[in-house]
Amino acid sequence: FKFKSVDPDIFKPDIEIPEEYLLPPTKNLRVLHSSFIKNSGRGILGKDIKGSRYVHNAIEKLKRNGYSIELLYIDDLPSNVMRFYQVQSDIVVDQLIYGHWGSTAIECWALGKPVIGYLNPKWKEFFLKSFPEHKELPLIEANTENIYEIIKNLLDNKSLIKKIGNRSREFVMKQYN
């Protein structure tokens, strides 16, 4: 559970972004999804182990339905650079298949971002039992079948984005600081 810790002074919502990593201004809501598959050895036999195609499909469907949204898809950047893109996103989709979170979720929670992902119910139960100081987890639970509806709900209720982002940072400060 504590495989990673983050420095809250490096991963903070108001980090200064070097000019070479600044994204162009947009009125769209930015959804970040990163895979880190290409050179990781985790793309076993071409499998989509993070559910990327479902994220892409959901974003495209939301665009077709008139939502101002864009996907920021990134592969194989080191976290010392990745955080500059993570902090410029509005929502992050981690993984929709494996059933737990990884470095991306922890880093983005530290940056105050709401993170969407699939959480195996038994893993969640075990985590909460192991750390009774946490009554809930900040992960917005989704899977390959409902990712469209989960992102749409955030778009339709934008106040949740900030609220969940704040809870996410609080969680990281207690668990991964």
Side-chain angles (χ1 to χ4, degrees):
F1 293 130
K2 293 204 178 215
F3 64 91
K4 179 175 182 109
S5 61
V6 291
D7 182 335
D9 293 325
I10 293 174
F11 286 89
K12 60 183 180 179
D14 61 347
I15 60 173
E16 188 172 326
I17 304 165
E19 191 173 326
E20 64 266 29
Y21 303 117
L22 277 173
L23 296 172
T26 183
K27 293 184 182 203
N28 294 332
L29 188 111
R30 275 196 181 115
V31 176
L32 179 126
H33 179 67
S34 57
S35 70
F36 300 101
I37 300 297
K38 195 183 322 173
N39 296 316
S40 70
R42 296 182 301 153
I44 305 161
L45 301 174
K47 288 183 179 178
D48 181 10
I49 67 170
K50 289 189 85 175
S52 299
R53 71 178 177 266
Y54 299 98
V55 177
H56 287 267
N57 291 344
I59 299 301
E60 289 306 312
K61 184 176 177 183
L62 286 160
K63 283 182 192 178
R64 286 192 307 273
N65 290 330
Y67 285 93
S68 299
I69 189 169
E70 65 186 69
L71 177 63
L72 179 58
Y73 179 75
I74 298 177
D75 189 21
D76 290 326
L77 284 180
S79 63
N80 67 329
V81 171
M82 189 65 188
R83 70 178 188 252
F84 300 125
Y85 295 104
Q86 291 167 334
V87 78
Q88 293 177 83
S89 67
D90 298 295
I91 298 170
V92 177
V93 180
D94 188 9
Q95 62 79 28
L96 299 174
I97 296 174
Y98 269 22
H100 52 82
W101 60 73
S103 296
T104 297
I106 295 167
E107 292 167 2
C108 292
W109 286 332
L111 294 167
K113 301 299 172 183
V115 177
I116 300 170
Y118 171 64
L119 195 54
N120 180 299
K122 289 182 190 262
W123 197 89
K124 178 181 178 178
E125 179 184 340
F126 184 64
F127 182 94
L128 292 172
K129 186 185 273 187
S130 299
F131 298 99
E133 64 271 22
H134 299 295
K135 303 298 179 218
E136 63 179 358
L137 297 170
L139 189 74
I140 302 166
E141 294 187 54
N143 57 50
T144 58
E145 294 179 13
N146 69 2
I147 186 62
Y148 170 85
E149 290 82 11
I150 298 297
I151 296 172
K152 181 181 179 298
N153 181 55
L154 289 172
L155 290 166
D156 291 339
N157 301 284
K158 289 186 178 152
S159 64
L160 288 175
I161 294 171
K162 180 104 172 125
K163 182 179 174 182
I164 295 168
N166 289 338
R167 282 197 332 244
S168 299
R169 176 131 173 112
E170 290 170 13
F171 174 77
V172 164
M173 296 303 285
K174 291 177 187 172
Q175 187 70 20
Y176 294 104
N177 184 347

